[in-house]
Amino acid sequence: KESDQREEIHSDNMSIEQNTQHVNNSFKRIQRKELIINTKVGRYDASPRLQFDFSYDMTLKSAKRSVSRMNCGYIDVLQLHDPEFAPSMDLLFEETLPALLECKRLGYAKAIGLTGYPLETQHTIFQRAGRSDSPGIADLFDQSLTYGHFNLHNQDLFTKPFKGEIIQEDVNADADTKISLIEYCHSRSIATMAAAPLSMGLLTHQPPPEWHPANQELKDACCKA
């Protein structure tokens, strides 16, 4: 496929200036059509007071700013990042998701993704969006990016069951059947990416960062391994 031969860039808005330079340097050696650019909205600053903003206006502003700073014309995948930190699920559906839809309409983004750690949050958002009557929301998402859930000690992306509707040819299928998040995404034609195969430093020779969510028993086991 064409995408297999293109360079993929994931830009984090928390370090936008450095990533801007990286993208601009890429344009010096390859053409824009040879790049796949992913960037995020929702989380912006290391300071707790300024860290998250899921409002309609900020989402639009951030996407427009990213396109301008990277001088890239458009973003291939605009990702809603860390939605588990939103004040409420209602805010996401009343402001953030409509803003993401508007970003596509305005040409800032070609596709919309969802990133974050809890698989439960992603499943809840995908399921609620799929039931939405608002124009464009039901099929808004094109991509799911999870991290830390597909590695040597954790395969929850493939094994953790969730209850929800399944789109399939068998009309007699039980809507309450429990399937994994990756199965659910595939049933909805949502592309899935599994990041952090080294479990955010847990599966390396160096100790993991202090904020790592693993319990001490798992940390000790990985250190011995």
Side-chain angles (χ1 to χ4, degrees), residues 131-149:
R131 299 186 186 124
S132 176
D133 294 329
S134 299
I137 298 299
D139 57 353
L140 173 65
F141 289 103
D142 306 286
Q143 179 203 73
S144 166
L145 189 155
T146 70
Y147 61 93
H149 294 293

Side-chain angles (χ1 to χ4, degrees), residues 24-39:
N24 285 336
N25 288 339
S26 297
F27 286 145
K28 295 177 182 178
R29 53 189 174 86
I30 53 180
Q31 298 181 4
R32 171 65 182 91
K33 65 181 181 180
E34 297 175 325
L35 291 172
I36 301 174
I37 298 177
N38 297 250
T39 195

Side-chain angles (χ1 to χ4, degrees), residues 22-127:
H22 176 58
V23 175
N24 285 336
N25 288 339
S26 297
F27 286 145
K28 295 177 182 178
R29 53 189 174 86
I30 53 180
Q31 298 181 4
R32 171 65 182 91
K33 65 181 181 180
E34 297 175 325
L35 291 172
I36 301 174
I37 298 177
N38 297 250
T39 195
K40 305 170 184 176
V41 295
R43 184 171 185 168
Y44 302 102
D45 198 282
S47 169
R49 187 175 63 86
L50 303 172
Q51 198 165 26
F52 298 102
D53 190 334
F54 297 94
S55 67
Y56 183 95
D57 290 342
M58 186 59 188
T59 301
L60 279 177
K61 178 181 177 181
S62 177
K64 182 178 180 180
R65 180 179 60 190
S66 293
V67 172
S68 176
R69 285 180 170 176
M70 290 188 286
N71 192 29
C72 58
Y74 60 89
I75 297 162
D76 291 279
V77 185
L78 184 61
Q79 301 163 326
L80 170 56
H81 186 45
D82 284 351
E84 64 269 26
F85 293 102
S88 69
M89 192 65 66
D90 287 342
L91 175 65
L92 294 176
F93 278 83
E94 292 169 5
E95 296 201 33
T96 319
L97 269 58
L100 292 172
L101 187 63
E102 181 67 1
C103 286
K104 288 188 68 174
R105 190 190 72 80
L106 293 173
Y108 298 157
K110 290 185 175 295
I112 302 299
L114 185 63
T115 76
Y117 184 76
L119 301 181
E120 294 85 354
T121 301
Q122 290 212 21
H123 181 262
T124 297
I125 292 174
F126 287 146
Q127 222 180 24

Side-chain angles (χ1 to χ4, degrees), residues 157-197:
L157 178 60
F158 286 81
T159 62
K160 189 170 186 177
F162 291 97
K163 180 180 176 180
E165 301 92 342
I166 310 173
I167 296 178
Q168 55 188 48
E169 294 182 0
D170 184 2
V171 295
N172 296 317
D174 184 358
D176 290 334
T177 300
K178 292 184 177 182
I179 58 174
S180 67
L181 180 64
I182 197 165
E183 289 174 309
Y184 184 84
C185 287
H186 286 179
S187 76
R188 298 276 177 174
S189 298
I190 299 173
T192 311
M193 300 178 67

